[in-house]
Amino acid sequence: ALGALYGDPALGLEVLEPLDEKSAKEACKYKEKQPVTVNLLENRHGIYVRALLTFGSDHVETTIEGVNDNIISLTLNGEPVKNSTLVKEQQAQKADVSK
C-alpha cells in the first residue's frame, strides 16, 4: 500500500525514497480499510506480479514480469493507460529468468 499510494515509480528500486512518517501512517490507515492480499502462483517462474488497486470508485490493474520494474500492462478503470512512461514493452525480453 505504501509504494502504491505514495511512492515515486520514476525512482525504480528507490520508489519509497520520498516517503515520510505522515505518508507511512496514512498508508497504514488505508491498509486497515483495504486489506492487501498476496497469492502465490505455482505455475509461474521468475518475477510475475499482478496488482489490483481500488481507491474510491477508481481501480488500477498492472502486471510486472521478468524484472522488478518491468510494467508490461497498466489499466485505469478497465481502459489501457496509453503513452505511459511506466510501461516498458521490451525490457522483459532482455531478462533471462529461466536460469
Side-chain angles (χ1 to χ4, degrees):
L2 189 59
L5 294 173
Y6 300 103
D8 182 352
L11 297 176
L13 287 175
E14 301 293 324
V15 66
L16 301 177
E17 193 277 327
L19 303 178
D20 57 18
E21 189 174 335
K22 179 182 177 193
S23 56
K25 287 180 180 178
E26 289 178 7
C28 287
K29 288 179 188 176
Y30 175 82
K31 192 180 75 150
E32 289 173 8
K33 295 178 184 175
Q34 303 289 327
V36 174
T37 305
V38 177
N39 298 302
L40 177 62
L41 301 176
E42 294 182 21
N43 62 343
R44 290 283 184 169
H45 299 285
I47 295 174
Y48 179 83
V49 177
R50 183 171 153 242
L52 306 161
L53 218 76
T54 301
F55 193 80
S57 62
D58 293 320
H59 57 275
V60 175
E61 180 175 346
T62 188
T63 304
I64 300 169
E65 189 170 26
V67 291
N68 66 313
D69 64 347
N70 184 46
I71 298 174
I72 60 170
S73 76
L74 180 62
T75 63
L76 175 61
N77 299 325
E79 297 293 325
V81 176
K82 297 180 181 179
N83 300 320
S84 172
T85 58
L86 299 175
V87 179
K88 302 172 185 172
E89 296 177 17
Q90 301 299 320
Q91 188 172 347
Q93 297 171 2
K94 295 178 186 176
D96 183 0
V97 295
S98 63
K99 295 181 182 179

